[in-house]
Amino acid sequence: MTRSDPDIPHADTPIPHRAEPDWAAVSQVSIDGSDEPLVPMSLAPPPVKVFPAYARMGIPGAVNECYVREGVYRRLLAVARTLPEGLSLLVLDGWRPWRVQQYLFETLQATIQANHPELDEQELLGRTREFVAQPSTEPTAPSPHLTGGAVDVTLCDTDGLPLDMGTLFDEAVPASHADALEDDPGRDGARRQARDNRRLLYHAMHAEGFTNLPSEWWHFDLGDQLWAHYSGHASARYGPAQLDTIESRWRRQL
């Protein structure tokens, strides 16, 4: 017996090729705005698991929780409940403070520059933005993870161990592109299994309305500008979000 929905294509359906986002066009998508709160994914029951990857890596400014908008939370639960028996949806990151976004961007950019000094400024920016969005708190063009509408996820087994996806989370290599394993694996059983795992994740998320960032098999969006860009919606739902603190509550109440 499984929880799998027969209408969701899994291993037999390839991940479609998508062009990389036109970030200039993404930033022009209007944002309706929403007061939907950020909620912690640790509240979610099985089959959802949470591992706040950046906090566990000791990245400066990272929070030891994965927050997402309430609408995203409910959709992620719906995704998890369609997975085959024994599998869980493992949430690695959601809402991301600007400081963390800046750290990731600057660290990757410096690493690329050190390894490819021949790149000019625009080429370096393009290579960096392939895997990390440019930090922005602009109300009209926030970084996707700052909205609470972007989420990084993978699948794990009954022991909580992540399934093989062909590359690690946040591995900044061409093989991390969502459709990178769609060529014929031949007799490479491990590659075929990793491809099928990616397909399962991609199609389960897509069926609940999420869109995928083509360069990252783990990154999905719902309600933000990147989601509107790829789904054809005229506007986004979510702009920049901030965690509710005791100070912000007092300011509202007093």
Side-chain angles (χ1 to χ4, degrees), residues 154-216:
T154 189
L155 301 174
C156 64
D157 63 19
T158 52
D159 294 325
L161 297 176
L163 301 191
D164 180 12
M165 293 291 184
T167 68
L168 299 175
F169 162 63
D170 253 3
E171 196 168 348
V173 295
S176 290
H177 286 233
D179 65 348
L181 305 183
E182 287 300 335
D183 58 315
D184 185 358
R187 296 185 178 181
D188 189 340
R191 183 181 176 89
R192 181 182 299 105
Q193 185 60 60
R195 179 203 65 187
D196 292 350
N197 291 340
R198 284 193 191 188
R199 288 179 177 181
L200 174 57
L201 176 64
Y202 176 91
H203 291 299
M205 294 290 286
H206 186 264
E208 287 299 329
F210 288 89
T211 60
N212 169 248
L213 178 63
S215 58
E216 299 178 351

Side-chain angles (χ1 to χ4, degrees), residues 202-236:
Y202 176 91
H203 291 299
M205 294 290 286
H206 186 264
E208 287 299 329
F210 288 89
T211 60
N212 169 248
L213 178 63
S215 58
E216 299 178 351
W217 58 258
W218 56 83
H219 179 111
F220 293 87
D221 298 273
L222 185 76
D224 60 12
Q225 288 174 306
L226 201 52
W227 164 83
H229 175 75
Y230 278 116
S231 62
H233 285 76
S235 61

